Amino acid sequence: MHEIYELPSFQLDGGAVLDPAKLAYRTYGELNAARTNAVLFPTWFAGDHTSNEWLIGPGKALDPREHFVIVPNLFGNGLSSSPSNTPPPHDAADFPAITIRDNVRAQHRLVTEHFGIDRLALVLGCSMGALQTYQWAVSHPDMVERALPYCGSPRTSPHNAVFIESLRAALTLDSAFDGGRYRTPPLAGLRAFARVYAGWGFSQAFYWEEEYRRLGFASREECVTGFWEANFIGQDANNLLAMLRTRQDADVSATPGHDGDVEAALGSIKAKLIALPAEKDLYFPPEDEVRAARHIPHGEVRVIPGIWGHMTGSGANPADAAFIDTAVRDLLAAPSPLAVRAAGEPARS
């Protein structure tokens, strides 16, 4: 179950207006009286709020008995405003481009206007959720106390953008796609899309070591069909393309005031930030995060060891899940630089 927060006449970075934009979300736990226990946990590509639930629960770092966890769904994922659920003139292939900043701006209104929260104890997210985490920390540096992007980065790299182009081609070259005006799902394109993803989501070592057997698959082909095709075959093609476009254009340096300077954008982050790249992630390699963290005043990098590649962030491998949970726990226990700064300020008359 989820709820919908409507944003009337919501203007996007590209100039289009969704009236209304619909932001789907779910919450876990209760907001305390002081409104100081809020955690924001945006979703990743083709996932929804249920994709994040493995990290939320009693005894876990995101224990709903202690924290109020808000999970907003990415625009384009089929629950929030998407090509599949938006009426004309912005339906299907006419759905406008949406940026990571658009997502964060909508989430900011949910957090501040709907819940009355002016400080977030933590923002975290995986992959596209990590892109949103970085954008939150840059767009709202005085609001984000701690940030934990995992299996992600502050901007989409050129190499990642090339991968995205291969996905787009696999999907749109299916004749059934019909320029996004398909009457029935372009199944051949969706299967091709899934098979391209299969070569990137897990690492080379994952397949060498036949790690897919731990997921219940007897062969590589069973993994491709039973894991990857099963994940994408029920997705709406235009939704996938909308999210790809959001991902491809992600870049914190495009935030107003930073003029394309990624180092300046990262330097503006005031949160205590722990980045968790996966050791063998083909999309977001650890060296990218190490490079980025040098410019974040309170930045730290912890590499998640192992061979699950980008899917390290999915929670499917217990060792990876435990590593991420420990980092979240450590970060929540660490002093917030914002709180330390506020405590050191002289009293105002």
Side-chain angles (χ1 to χ4, degrees), residues 125-194:
C126 177
S127 192
M128 283 189 76
L131 292 169
Q132 293 168 82
T133 298
Y134 275 110
Q135 189 63 59
W136 259 98
V138 171
S139 291
H140 304 287
D142 292 313
M143 189 173 178
V144 179
E145 295 187 336
R146 303 169 186 84
L148 193 143
Y150 60 101
C151 301
S153 67
R155 59 178 175 175
T156 297
S157 71
H159 186 253
N160 198 331
V162 170
F163 161 69
I164 291 170
E165 288 297 338
S166 71
L167 289 172
R168 182 178 289 114
L171 193 52
T172 59
L173 288 175
D174 183 348
S175 60
F177 180 71
D178 193 23
R181 292 296 177 183
Y182 44 87
R183 294 176 180 270
T184 58
L187 295 180
L190 288 166
R191 288 194 174 95
F193 183 102

Side-chain angles (χ1 to χ4, degrees), residues 115-285:
F115 290 114
I117 296 167
D118 58 15
R119 189 73 66 86
L120 290 165
L122 172 66
V123 180
L124 76 161
C126 177
S127 192
M128 283 189 76
L131 292 169
Q132 293 168 82
T133 298
Y134 275 110
Q135 189 63 59
W136 259 98
V138 171
S139 291
H140 304 287
D142 292 313
M143 189 173 178
V144 179
E145 295 187 336
R146 303 169 186 84
L148 193 143
Y150 60 101
C151 301
S153 67
R155 59 178 175 175
T156 297
S157 71
H159 186 253
N160 198 331
V162 170
F163 161 69
I164 291 170
E165 288 297 338
S166 71
L167 289 172
R168 182 178 289 114
L171 193 52
T172 59
L173 288 175
D174 183 348
S175 60
F177 180 71
D178 193 23
R181 292 296 177 183
Y182 44 87
R183 294 176 180 270
T184 58
L187 295 180
L190 288 166
R191 288 194 174 95
F193 183 102
R195 286 178 175 268
V196 173
Y197 235 108
W200 287 79
F202 293 122
S203 74
Q204 296 95 331
F206 178 94
Y207 289 108
W208 274 119
E209 299 297 325
E210 299 184 352
E211 195 77 355
Y212 47 77
R213 294 183 183 277
R214 295 181 58 187
L215 292 172
F217 301 111
S219 68
R220 183 182 67 246
E221 179 62 17
E222 278 192 18
C223 179
V224 171
T225 57
F227 186 90
W228 292 104
E229 286 191 13
N231 182 62
F232 288 114
I233 204 69
Q235 298 267 356
D236 180 85
N238 282 321
N239 287 356
L240 292 172
L241 292 171
M243 290 183 286
L244 285 180
R245 186 169 183 178
T246 299
R247 174 171 158 185
Q248 192 168 30
D249 294 340
D251 185 350
V252 295
S253 74
T255 306
H258 294 296
D259 302 320
D261 187 337
V262 70
E263 294 181 7
L266 294 172
S268 72
I269 295 174
K270 297 179 181 179
K272 165 66 176 172
L273 184 146
I274 299 178
L276 299 180
E279 181 181 1
K280 294 186 179 296
D281 192 334
L282 299 177
Y283 307 126
F284 303 102

Side-chain angles (χ1 to χ4, degrees), residues 21-186:
K22 296 184 178 182
L23 181 62
Y25 69 95
R26 183 168 180 182
T27 63
Y28 306 78
E30 300 292 334
L31 185 62
N32 63 19
R35 302 179 186 272
T36 57
N37 67 332
V39 172
L40 192 77
F41 193 1
T43 59
W44 64 348
F45 179 81
D48 60 28
H49 53 276
T50 64
S51 306
N52 292 358
E53 290 181 339
W54 66 270
L55 196 50
I56 304 168
K60 298 180 179 180
L62 297 183
D63 192 325
R65 296 172 298 185
E66 300 177 39
H67 307 289
F68 179 59
V69 184
I70 307 166
V71 182
N73 285 267
L74 186 70
F75 283 134
N77 80 342
L79 297 182
S80 291
S81 289
S82 306
S84 64
N85 62 18
T86 300
H90 295 309
D91 60 320
D94 294 323
F95 192 71
I98 292 189
T99 65
I100 291 291
R101 292 183 304 281
D102 290 327
N103 279 274
V104 168
R105 193 165 63 256
Q107 294 164 16
H108 181 264
R109 289 183 59 181
L110 171 72
V111 168
T112 58
E113 297 175 10
H114 184 62
F115 290 114
I117 296 167
D118 58 15
R119 189 73 66 86
L120 290 165
L122 172 66
V123 180
L124 76 161
C126 177
S127 192
M128 283 189 76
L131 292 169
Q132 293 168 82
T133 298
Y134 275 110
Q135 189 63 59
W136 259 98
V138 171
S139 291
H140 304 287
D142 292 313
M143 189 173 178
V144 179
E145 295 187 336
R146 303 169 186 84
L148 193 143
Y150 60 101
C151 301
S153 67
R155 59 178 175 175
T156 297
S157 71
H159 186 253
N160 198 331
V162 170
F163 161 69
I164 291 170
E165 288 297 338
S166 71
L167 289 172
R168 182 178 289 114
L171 193 52
T172 59
L173 288 175
D174 183 348
S175 60
F177 180 71
D178 193 23
R181 292 296 177 183
Y182 44 87
R183 294 176 180 270
T184 58

